[in-house]
Amino acid sequence: MTSRRHFITGAATMVGAAAVSKAGAAGIPEAPAAPSSTSSAATVPPPPPPNGRPYNPVVTLNGWSLPWRMKDGVKEFHLVAEPVVREIAPGMKANLWGYNGQSPGPTIEVVEGDRVRLFVTNKLPEVTSIHWHGQFLPNGMDGVAGLNQPAIAPGKTYVYEFVARYAGTFMYHPHADEMAQIGMGMMGFWVTHPKDPRQHAVDRDFVFLLNAYDIDPGSYTPNVNEMLDFNIWTINSRVFPGTDPMVVRKDDRVRIRMGNLSMTNHPFHIHGHRFEITGTDGGWIPPAARWPEVTVDIGVGQMRAIEFVADAPGDWAFHCHKSHHTMNAMGHEVPNLIGVDHRGVARQINDLVPGYMVMGDKGGSMGSMKMPLPENTLPMMDGSGPFGPVEMGGMFTMIKVREGLARGDFRDPGWYKHPAGTVAREWTGAAPEPVRAPATPAAPGEPVATVKRGGGH
Ligand SMILES: [Cu+2]
């Protein structure tokens, strides 16, 4: 990680604000470019703050935190709204809009009480603005174009300034042509750390945004006029197996902060542990008001912070529980053919369309099937684990709990090595007689009901 940290520091010297006039540029900080802009989308654990009040930095999954310049006691950031290319997962790239070379934009980290100045340069072909979701600020800094400020025209730079009054978790996104701009990936995370770093302290603090795209198989650019029918369900504009795992040390207290800027809710589910919801974008929840959960539903425009003690070693799934949200593009709009014997039909179609393949008459399991895909398209379920295909895509990642990791070591430790006798296995001896519900199962040869898939997300 050392080399990456150096790269971040180095990146701060890369001037990205070419569109800004020379006179203006002297007064505003450089706009650092994403350290992993188009070539990779690796998680960049941020270094401790170089100046200002101390805090425990968060780790943005498959993302990074934006460096600032301290000027006369004010933290100055420079965001550049611009088109970006984001690798969604190996094998698929998307033309998105984002900030400073990446979608989502970089995470902004400040400390309660900090005076913050944010320069926003518009390099998009249309007007934009930024709304600082959840912040308490002067009305004219709230970023709703037309209501609180004029829209930022292409090529122009605006400045926002306010005090980060309360510790908590927030987001930022445009409030101009939102359907297009949020649908193209314009959003970012904002964390205001407590003044006292011991308050709300955890060992590892992860953040990510939930977003979604409608990208037709074989194409690169999202359809932004889509209202409901998205087909790429992403964690920070990445899908499994492109999502990094959250690596934690056994017995660490872990926080995961998730914000939802997609157009539907996402019930996120943890395996092997239980958690408490400790924060929303409205603030921290008092300990006495928390209860145990294993799934948290995150509504549109909401943030939830969950906390747990990672006391169970292993590779634990962490994912949206809507099953079509853990699939990629090719999993959508496919008819359900489970239980239908269509070998004869397939033969006939094969005469007309060589290479035609019957999908899913034994269930949807396609982890071991290899079929031709349009270019720049991900298989519906992908990724392989130590025991075979994982058959997951979309909003899916893992929490990897390991003993003896160093503080600040977020490197993927590989697959969990299970102690002998602790893995489910094939049973070849005599098994107890199964007890069945009294309903009669379908007799062989009887027609089996089929259900049309697709629509209604
Ligand atoms: Cu979901």
Side-chain angles (χ1 to χ4, degrees):
M1 289 305 157
T2 314
S3 59
R4 272 219 182 84
R5 280 180 193 176
H6 287 161
F7 192 35
I8 278 202
T9 317
T13 61
M14 290 162 55
V15 178
V20 182
S21 77
K22 271 201 180 126
I28 70 176
E30 291 131 5
S36 55
S37 51
T38 56
S39 55
S40 108
T43 302
V44 181
N51 53 44
R53 295 193 187 96
Y55 63 79
N56 302 310
V58 296
V59 173
T60 306
L61 211 61
N62 294 105
W64 60 301
S65 288
L66 188 63
W68 67 84
R69 176 177 79 178
M70 194 63 96
K71 195 180 180 201
D72 305 327
V74 180
K75 262 185 194 167
E76 293 188 335
F77 294 88
H78 190 175
L79 286 168
V80 178
E82 61 188 355
V84 303
V85 175
R86 174 68 154 172
E87 187 192 65
I88 300 288
M92 183 184 179
K93 285 180 176 161
N95 298 326
L96 303 180
W97 286 357
Y99 299 95
N100 301 50
Q102 210 170 77
S103 162
T107 299
I108 292 173
E109 296 188 72
V110 300
V111 178
E112 188 181 12
D114 277 353
R115 175 164 282 275
V116 184
R117 191 175 294 138
L118 301 125
F119 298 90
V120 178
T121 299
N122 183 5
K123 288 192 184 179
L124 298 172
E126 65 171 20
V127 300
T128 191
S129 73
I130 298 188
H131 166 59
W132 313 99
H133 178 114
Q135 301 280 354
F136 298 111
L137 33 61
N139 185 247
M141 295 293 165
D142 198 43
V144 180
L147 177 66
N148 307 120
Q149 65 167 92
I152 309 172
K156 298 290 183 196
T157 295
Y158 268 55
V159 62
Y160 297 84
E161 186 168 332
F162 54 91
V163 173
R165 284 169 57 192
Y166 299 102
T169 314
F170 310 97
M171 306 186 263
Y172 64 89
H173 61 80
H175 234 299
D177 194 13
E178 277 169 69
M179 196 162 149
Q181 296 187 10
I182 293 178
M184 286 291 280
M186 298 190 71
M187 56 190 73
F189 227 94
W190 176 304
V191 175
T192 302
H193 294 280
K195 241 178 222 163
D196 179 353
R198 288 166 304 184
Q199 226 191 339
H200 307 295
V202 291
D203 299 297
R204 300 196 180 210
D205 199 339
F206 297 94
V207 309
F208 57 79
L209 287 166
L210 303 169
N211 40 9
Y213 300 98
D214 176 26
I215 304 177
D216 291 330
S219 69
Y220 289 78
T221 305
N223 303 318
V224 292
N225 291 325
E226 187 53 63
M227 280 181 272
L228 294 169
D229 198 7
F230 299 89
N231 62 4
I232 308 276
W233 300 96
T234 51
I235 290 175
N236 266 0
S237 301
R238 293 280 282 182
V239 300
F240 186 77
T243 48
D244 278 344
M246 286 174 276
V247 178
V248 306
R249 183 175 46 178
K250 183 177 179 291
D251 299 324
D252 267 355
R253 186 167 178 84
V254 180
R255 179 183 298 128
I256 304 174
R257 317 186 199 212
M258 298 166 278
N260 180 3
L261 286 172
S262 76
M263 294 303 118
T264 190
N265 61 313
H266 301 289
F268 254 77
H269 177 56
I270 198 169
H271 290 218
H273 296 81
R274 59 180 170 180
F275 57 73
E276 289 181 342
I277 302 163
T278 57
T280 77
D281 21 6
W284 298 99
I285 297 170
R290 301 172 186 173
W291 62 82
E293 285 278 15
V294 295
T295 304
V296 54
D297 196 19
I298 309 165
V300 180
Q302 283 186 327
M303 190 287 297
R304 292 290 178 268
I306 63 166
E307 286 177 37
F308 60 97
V309 174
D311 54 7
D315 294 337
W316 301 105
F318 187 67
H319 61 95
C320 176
H321 217 295
K322 287 185 175 175
S323 45
H324 61 293
H325 290 185
T326 50
M327 288 187 135
N328 297 331
M330 292 303 281
H332 294 253
E333 302 302 329
V334 177
N336 180 357
L337 299 172
I338 291 174
V340 178
D341 183 347
H342 38 194
R343 279 168 297 187
V345 179
R347 259 196 306 277
Q348 286 172 17
I349 297 177
N350 231 305
D351 291 342
L352 302 167
V353 187
Y356 172 79
M357 198 169 186
V358 172
M359 290 175 69
D361 63 330
K362 307 283 189 295
S365 180
M366 307 189 73
S368 56
M369 288 165 76
K370 287 285 168 245
M371 46 189 251
L373 290 171
E375 69 141 6
N376 199 48
T377 301
L378 297 169
M380 59 197 280
M381 310 177 267
D382 204 8
S384 50
F387 300 106
V390 179
E391 302 205 332
M392 287 285 173
M395 288 176 167
F396 182 97
T397 181
M398 286 161 288
I399 301 166
K400 293 194 170 188
V401 184
R402 295 291 186 278
E403 278 177 281
L405 294 180
R407 201 173 179 76
D409 185 358
F410 292 90
R411 289 172 302 176
D412 189 342
W415 299 115
Y416 180 61
K417 289 178 185 61
H418 303 83
T422 65
V423 178
R425 63 200 186 278
E426 184 184 0
W427 179 256
T428 51
E433 204 49 37
V435 179
R436 285 209 165 82
T440 325
E446 260 181 36
V448 178
T450 63
V451 181
K452 172 79 177 75
R453 278 184 189 168
H457 290 264

